[in-house]
Amino acid sequence: MPLGGGNKCGRCHKTVYFAEEVLCDGRSFHKSCFLCMVCGKNLDSTTVAVHMDEVYCKGCYGKKYGPKGYGYGQGAGTLSMDKGESLGITHEAPAPHQSTSNPNPSKLAQRFGGSDKCSRCGKAVYAAEKVIGAGNSWHKAGCFTCATCNKSLESTTLADKDGEIYCKACYGKHFGPKGFGYGLGAGALSHTQ
């Protein structure tokens, strides 16, 4: 350790004190100096790449020193701002945006992408209050209840018939088998229509 209190920073060459020291490749850096040489991003042990005495983020290191060509970040399937003008490629102007034919009459819903309708009350159901049951959307509070007894339902306590939802007890009473052993007392099975 040289005189003056600490090691010298690999970037600014000023003294680095212990509390602000970052070690990389045997050299010391200030935390504020441990930046990519190209883009200036803050670096850490998982994002640093070293070449000679220079430190880079992995992205900039790959662009500067990595392999070039198809499959190495320069070919198809990678983002590039090059539009191909140097190759004589011309582009047509994009078509103006056309609005969709959203059947939802709410102006707010049309502006923000619309919403589903509740199967019970018919009002808009937004993501924060939405429950899906029997293939339809419902409001969790007030609408996702048994059609007969109004008991609040969950996906495990739900039974549906003809687009309406019931608790399992009411479903069994209305649509289940009837007769001895099924809650109607003595006698044979009866089938009601």
Side-chain angles (χ1 to χ4, degrees):
M1 184 180 295
L3 295 174
N7 296 323
K8 298 295 180 190
C9 177
R11 173 159 292 191
C12 71
H13 306 291
K14 293 181 182 174
T15 302
V16 180
Y17 296 98
F18 182 75
E20 58 184 357
E21 183 177 39
V22 176
L23 293 172
C24 177
D25 202 34
R27 293 184 302 150
S28 296
F29 292 88
H30 292 106
K31 287 180 185 175
S32 59
C33 291
F34 196 52
L35 307 170
C36 174
M37 301 290 284
V38 176
C39 67
K41 287 182 185 173
N42 286 320
L43 300 173
D44 62 34
S45 63
T46 61
T47 60
V48 69
V50 180
H51 184 81
M52 307 299 246
D53 288 335
E54 299 174 332
V55 290
Y56 300 93
C57 67
K58 289 188 177 183
C60 291
Y61 179 85
K63 288 176 190 171
K64 190 166 183 175
Y65 300 108
K68 307 287 188 271
Y70 181 75
Y72 292 104
Q74 301 295 322
T78 60
L79 294 176
S80 173
M81 298 307 289
D82 180 15
K83 296 182 180 176
E85 284 91 4
S86 63
L87 302 173
I89 299 172
T90 57
H91 298 278
E92 297 176 19
H97 178 69
Q98 307 240 338
S99 64
T100 61
S101 57
N102 186 348
N104 191 338
S106 165
K107 298 271 188 217
L108 189 66
Q110 285 180 348
R111 178 176 290 166
F112 295 107
S115 63
D116 295 334
K117 297 279 188 197
C118 177
S119 295
R120 178 79 34 92
C121 69
K123 294 181 181 175
V125 182
Y126 299 99
E129 58 189 357
K130 181 174 169 178
V131 178
I132 297 179
N136 297 320
S137 297
W138 307 80
H139 289 107
K140 176 133 179 89
C143 295
F144 196 60
T145 58
C146 174
T148 305
C149 70
N150 259 356
K151 179 180 173 185
S152 192
L153 300 173
E154 295 179 15
S155 61
T156 57
T157 61
L158 170 74
D160 70 298
K161 174 103 172 151
D162 300 326
E164 196 54 78
I165 55 175
Y166 301 90
C167 65
K168 291 193 176 186
C170 289
Y171 182 86
K173 285 180 198 170
H174 293 294
F175 308 109
K178 312 280 190 267
F180 181 74
Y182 294 101
L184 291 179
L189 289 174
S190 66
H191 181 64
T192 59
Q193 295 191 335

